[in-house]
Amino acid sequence: MSEKKVCIIGNSVPLLIQPFRTNHQDRTYGELLERSGCRVIHAEKQSAVITDVYQYLEDECIRHYPDYVIIHFGIVEATYRARPRWLQNIFSMNAWNNSIINRSYNGPIMRGILYVAKQSYKSLERILYASGLKWRWVSPRTFRFALHDIVKKIFADTPVQRIILVGITDIADWVEQRAPGTQVSINKYNLIMKKLADEYPAIHYFDTASQINNKTQTITPDGIHFTGIGHQLLFEALYPLLSPKRSDYQGWQKINQYESLYNLYARWNKRKASHK
């Protein structure tokens, strides 16, 4: 039997262990899938949002023809912020190239300047939050469109048997304190993923919040990322999902990423009919 090819597309949550690994025993759930005999294609990128996937989906997922795709986004998009994405990219002091964020090297002088600028902006952020000025890097409507669009592309161009949408965990209290309204926002993004999974049997929504209790520092010490124990729990829950054969092959074509436009047309057509 040939090995299962699993592509993981996401942000830093499936990519990193927090705190950073201090021994050779800790593994991310992607690494644990590799140890279990799967061939894993890693397409996780730190700080990436789902709309970034348009820049690398074909190169890092489609051309590998995966049997399973795990899509692990949401927290970066759903969190309320008083800082625009473009400014965050400038403030980022990570000199390592992840092909999406911070594509160039920052030397020690520039890092020092950016550090001072970032700390200064934090004072302004408190004022913006107090004034009610906050936003998300990807709106729910855009998130829904991109998710549906990406899923349809994967089904159309690969023999994928199942797509797993990993839900966002409940955040830690300190995250909600710093970014009020984020938990309610997360619930909206999770609902978008769940509704899509309900439409098609080859898509599975993994409810992380209910299956992985992250209200403990042994699992998510920073309220977002997983420890080695947390990744182990994720692996144990996700691995059994890598088994079904693809069903209803043409069903994905019915997935509608243009729902808002169709609804607008339906209302317009209904008004037009009522005036006849």
Side-chain angles (χ1 to χ4, degrees), residues 55-261:
Q55 300 184 55
Y56 57 88
L57 180 66
E58 292 189 353
D59 289 340
E60 300 190 26
C61 178
I62 299 295
R63 69 182 178 88
H64 294 283
Y65 303 107
D67 301 306
Y68 301 90
V69 174
I70 297 174
I71 298 179
H72 200 157
F73 281 105
I75 185 62
V76 182
E77 295 88 339
T79 302
Y80 275 107
R81 308 168 192 273
R83 182 183 305 175
R85 176 75 183 273
W86 63 265
L87 186 57
Q88 173 64 19
N89 293 354
I90 294 175
F91 284 163
S92 175
M93 291 170 290
N94 175 13
W96 307 108
N97 182 359
N98 73 358
S99 79
I100 297 298
I101 306 299
N102 209 26
R103 304 182 187 188
S104 61
Y105 168 74
N106 290 324
I109 295 177
M110 179 55 69
R111 288 196 187 196
I113 293 173
L114 292 175
Y115 176 79
V116 173
K118 184 177 181 179
Q119 297 304 312
S120 300
Y121 189 80
K122 285 183 177 180
S123 299
L124 177 60
E125 281 183 315
R126 288 192 287 269
I127 298 174
L128 293 174
Y129 269 124
S131 303
L133 295 175
K134 59 182 182 180
W135 52 86
R136 294 169 288 204
W137 284 352
V138 177
S139 70
R141 177 179 293 182
T142 301
F143 183 86
R144 181 193 179 280
F145 176 89
L147 178 65
H148 284 55
D149 207 24
I150 290 166
V151 163
K152 293 188 75 170
K153 176 68 172 176
I154 294 171
F155 275 126
D157 291 347
T158 75
V160 67
Q161 296 180 31
R162 170 173 273 185
I163 295 177
I164 300 170
L165 309 178
V166 181
I168 315 165
T169 60
D170 292 336
I171 55 172
D173 294 337
W174 71 266
V175 179
E176 182 66 22
Q177 291 172 0
R178 290 180 57 180
T182 293
Q183 185 59 59
V184 173
S185 177
I186 284 173
N187 296 340
K188 292 181 180 179
Y189 288 72
N190 278 339
L191 184 59
I192 290 171
M193 290 187 277
K194 185 178 184 305
K195 284 185 175 180
L196 175 57
D198 289 342
E199 292 183 39
Y200 185 64
I203 303 175
H204 181 88
Y205 172 67
F206 180 78
D207 189 354
T208 313
S210 65
Q211 298 196 43
I212 305 288
N213 178 14
N214 67 317
K215 294 298 185 180
T216 170
Q217 290 190 345
T218 61
I219 296 177
T220 54
D222 66 354
I224 298 172
H225 299 91
F226 292 94
T227 61
I229 296 174
H231 276 281
Q232 178 68 40
L233 293 173
L234 276 172
F235 162 74
E236 292 173 0
L238 289 172
Y239 184 72
L241 301 177
L242 307 180
S243 58
K245 293 183 178 180
R246 181 166 173 169
S247 59
D248 190 15
Y249 188 84
Q250 300 298 325
W252 60 268
Q253 296 179 356
K254 300 177 182 178
I255 297 174
N256 173 22
Q257 71 268 49
Y258 298 101
E259 182 181 52
S260 58
L261 289 178

